[in-house]
């Protein structure tokens, strides 16, 4: 398998908008709603999709076919992400035992949907025979994902799924641009704008979690993965360049609630537990809460047991926040989930919590 970084070069967009969306993850309906919300215009706007088209969402095969039509008839360009690699696994019989182990615990997958459409089951077949059957039935869709470049470059901007190593070669191996983690924190800067997805932006947060795109002007890096289909509070982001201006628009699936009274929390020192720094030690347990210690935050605190989950050998307090979010009567928030007498809520891309008595469903 050729592991060189494949680059597609485009001329700078002189008229209309250049719209960038990352990590759709098989959520076709949300993607279509986002295109409608930003008033995407075929033939006028350029659309760049930053990879991870598939996996984890419920409409993977439909999403691939929809995007294939867009690429064929519109100014739409895609790069490949690490989750899109399942196409290469099937096409090249590459690490099929590993693929099977992943798919055995991944409920939503392009591969499951393909198998279902032709009436076969992975667990009832040899993996070589299984892959052959999928290649025979879905060669067009698999080849589309397989042939996507790893980087798109214009005169002003470099687009990659996860990272680039430099502005000349971008990387020596496609894994460096497709799957390298935490690019936004690297001590490196670029002359051109660099736009990536891959890591939900909330994973860069320690105090108040946000899900809108991040920009570091000293590095010239945009990170735009809103955690769609990965985080319960996730959203799908669109970064929009037009002439010398940049803006972002997002859409989410969580139910909408109306605020019934003003909420002005007392002064607090907010903190947020992301997944990668989420390890906790339980010091004391009660029926609904646990007293835990976070080495990353150097503090102990009470946390609702709904947030305490096991990952391998570790306990994590993933996506917990103590941020009691300020609210105004009549405004709308998105409820991520409820626990005890509280709700975790999102407001304008930020994550916090509120008392259920302060909210009513719309």
């Amino acid at each position: 398998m050729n592991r060189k970084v494949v680059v597609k070069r485009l001329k700078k967009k002189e008229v209309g908008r250049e719209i960038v969306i990352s990590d759709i993850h098989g959520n076709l309906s949300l993607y279509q709603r986002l295109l409608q919300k930003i008033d995407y215009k075929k033939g006028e706007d350029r659309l760049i999709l930053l990879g991870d088209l598939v996996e984890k969402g419920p409409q993977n095969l439909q999403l691939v076919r929809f995007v294939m039509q867009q690429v064929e008839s519109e100014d739409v360009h895609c790069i490949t992400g690490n989750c899109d690699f399942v196409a290469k696994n099937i096409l090249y019989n590459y690490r099929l035992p590993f693929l099977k182990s992943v798919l055995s615990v991944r409920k939503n997958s392009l591969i499951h949907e393909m198998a279902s459409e032709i009436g076969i089951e992975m667990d009832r077949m040899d993996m070589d025979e299984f892959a052959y059957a999928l290649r025979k039935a879905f060669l067009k869709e698999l080849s589309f994902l397989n042939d996507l470049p790893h980087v798109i470059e214009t005169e002003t901007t470099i687009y990659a799924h996860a990272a680039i190593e430099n502005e000349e070669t971008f990387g020596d191996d496609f894994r460096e641009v497709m799957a390298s983690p935490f690019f936004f924190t690297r001590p490196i800067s670029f002359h051109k704008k660099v736009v990536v997805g891959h890591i939900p932006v909330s994973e860069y947060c320690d105090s108040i979690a946000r899900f809108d795109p991040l920009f570091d002007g000293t590095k010239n890096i945009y990170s735009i993965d809103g955690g769609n289909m990965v985080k319960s509070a996730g959203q799908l982001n669109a970064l929009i360049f037009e002439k010398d201006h940049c803006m972002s628009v997002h859409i989410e699936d969580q139910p909408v609630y109306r605020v019934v009274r003003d909420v002005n929390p007392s002064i607090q020192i907010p903190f947020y537990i992301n997944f990668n720094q989420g390890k906790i030690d339980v010091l004391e347990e009660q029926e609904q809460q646990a007293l835990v210690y976070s080495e990353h935050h150097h503090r102990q605190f009470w946390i609702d047991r709904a947030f305490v989950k096991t990952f391998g050998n570790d306990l994590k307090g993933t996506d917990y926040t103590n941020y009691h979010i300020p609210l105004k009567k009549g405004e709308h928030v998105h409820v991520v989930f409820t626990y005890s007498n509280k709700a975790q809520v999102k407001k304008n891309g930020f994550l916090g919590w509120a008392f259920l008595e302060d909210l009513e469903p719309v």
Side-chain angles (χ1 to χ4, degrees):
M1 185 185 301
N2 181 7
R3 300 190 67 88
K4 290 184 178 180
V5 177
V6 178
V7 182
K8 180 177 183 178
R9 291 181 169 86
L10 300 174
K11 292 183 178 180
K12 180 182 177 181
K13 184 72 171 172
E14 299 292 349
V15 179
R17 302 175 297 174
E18 192 156 272
I19 302 166
V20 195
I21 299 174
S22 182
D23 296 83
I24 302 171
H25 282 301
N27 195 335
L28 175 60
S29 59
L30 198 65
Y31 174 54
Q32 291 173 324
R33 285 170 53 202
L34 180 58
L35 293 180
Q36 184 177 21
K37 185 175 182 178
I38 62 178
D39 192 24
Y40 165 66
K41 292 182 172 61
K42 302 176 184 179
E44 293 184 25
D45 296 325
R46 170 181 287 167
L47 186 58
I48 294 179
L49 306 180
L50 286 191
D52 277 6
L53 295 175
V54 299
E55 301 301 283
K56 304 178 183 179
Q59 302 158 300
N60 295 281
L61 189 52
Q62 290 176 269
L63 186 279
V64 171
R65 288 168 172 164
F66 182 81
V67 171
M68 288 173 66
Q69 291 178 347
Q70 286 188 301
V71 170
E72 185 175 342
S73 60
E74 304 165 29
D75 192 3
V76 177
H77 309 269
C78 309
I79 56 179
T80 187
N82 56 298
C83 285
D84 305 317
F85 200 86
V86 293
K88 291 186 185 290
N89 291 116
I90 296 298
L91 281 173
Y92 299 107
N93 278 20
Y94 181 74
R95 298 186 69 190
L96 291 181
F98 172 74
L99 177 65
K100 184 174 183 178
S101 68
V102 171
L103 295 180
S104 66
V105 295
R106 179 178 292 171
K107 178 181 178 181
N108 293 322
S109 171
L110 173 69
I111 306 307
H112 291 321
E113 292 176 18
M114 287 179 167
S116 177
E117 185 165 293
I118 61 174
I120 63 174
E121 296 181 32
M122 180 180 68
D123 293 335
R124 294 178 178 271
M125 300 176 67
D126 174 81
M127 279 301 289
D128 287 332
E129 295 176 347
F130 180 74
Y132 174 76
L134 294 186
R135 285 196 300 272
K136 185 177 179 181
F138 301 101
L139 185 60
K140 186 176 180 180
E141 293 88 349
L142 293 168
S143 296
F144 171 76
L145 292 174
N146 176 70
D147 295 342
L148 293 177
H150 305 104
V151 172
I152 290 176
E153 183 183 24
T154 72
E155 297 170 23
T156 61
T157 312
I158 299 167
Y159 299 101
H161 178 63
I164 62 170
E165 300 297 310
N166 56 70
E167 287 184 80
E168 291 74 41
T169 65
F170 308 112
D172 296 323
D173 185 286
F174 62 62
R175 182 174 177 80
E176 296 170 350
V177 300
M178 193 176 66
S180 293
F182 298 105
F183 176 63
F184 196 69
T185 61
R186 290 188 191 177
I188 187 172
S189 61
F190 301 94
H191 296 94
K192 289 187 175 183
K193 299 190 292 287
V194 180
V195 186
V196 299
H198 184 54
I199 295 290
V201 295
S202 60
E203 287 300 297
Y204 296 114
C205 300
D206 269 343
S207 54
I208 298 176
R210 63 173 296 178
F211 292 81
D212 288 344
L214 298 176
F215 174 62
D216 188 325
T218 61
K219 299 177 181 180
N220 216 7
I221 298 174
Y222 294 82
S223 183
I224 72 168
D225 179 6
N228 166 55
M229 303 309 305
V230 176
K231 296 281 191 178
S232 296
Q235 62 190 41
L236 189 60
N237 291 327
L239 189 68
I240 304 172
F241 296 107
E242 186 172 15
K243 296 181 179 178
D244 296 326
H245 301 285
C246 177
M247 65 175 291
S248 69
V249 178
H250 74 264
I251 196 163
E252 54 229 316
D253 267 339
Q254 300 90 9
V256 179
Y257 279 62
R258 182 184 296 109
V259 179
V260 299
R261 62 180 63 85
D262 289 352
V263 177
N264 298 300
S266 59
I267 296 174
Q268 56 189 308
I269 302 176
F271 67 94
Y272 169 68
I273 307 292
N274 62 42
F275 176 80
N276 285 277
Q277 302 292 347
K279 186 177 182 300
I280 55 173
D281 296 312
V282 175
L283 307 177
E284 183 180 335
E285 292 186 89
Q286 295 185 355
E287 183 177 351
Q288 290 188 332
Q289 291 187 315
L291 180 64
V292 303
Y293 175 75
S294 165
E295 183 175 350
H296 176 71
H297 286 280
H298 306 291
R299 64 186 298 170
Q300 65 181 38
F301 50 91
W302 287 96
I303 182 175
D304 194 282
R305 292 173 66 90
F307 293 94
V308 179
K309 298 178 181 178
T310 301
F311 294 89
N313 296 322
D314 293 331
L315 284 178
K316 292 194 173 188
T318 301
D319 294 329
Y320 171 78
T321 177
N322 73 331
Y323 179 48
H324 191 182
I325 197 164
L327 300 172
K328 293 293 183 183
K329 181 180 178 179
E331 66 184 1
H332 290 171
V333 297
H334 290 265
V335 169
V336 180
F337 75 100
T338 61
Y339 58 103
S340 61
N341 63 337
K342 299 176 183 178
Q344 190 174 70
V345 300
K346 280 181 65 190
K347 175 184 169 183
N348 299 327
F350 290 91
L351 185 69
W353 68 268
F355 287 110
L356 286 172
E357 64 183 17
D358 296 327
L359 308 172
E360 64 180 11
V362 173

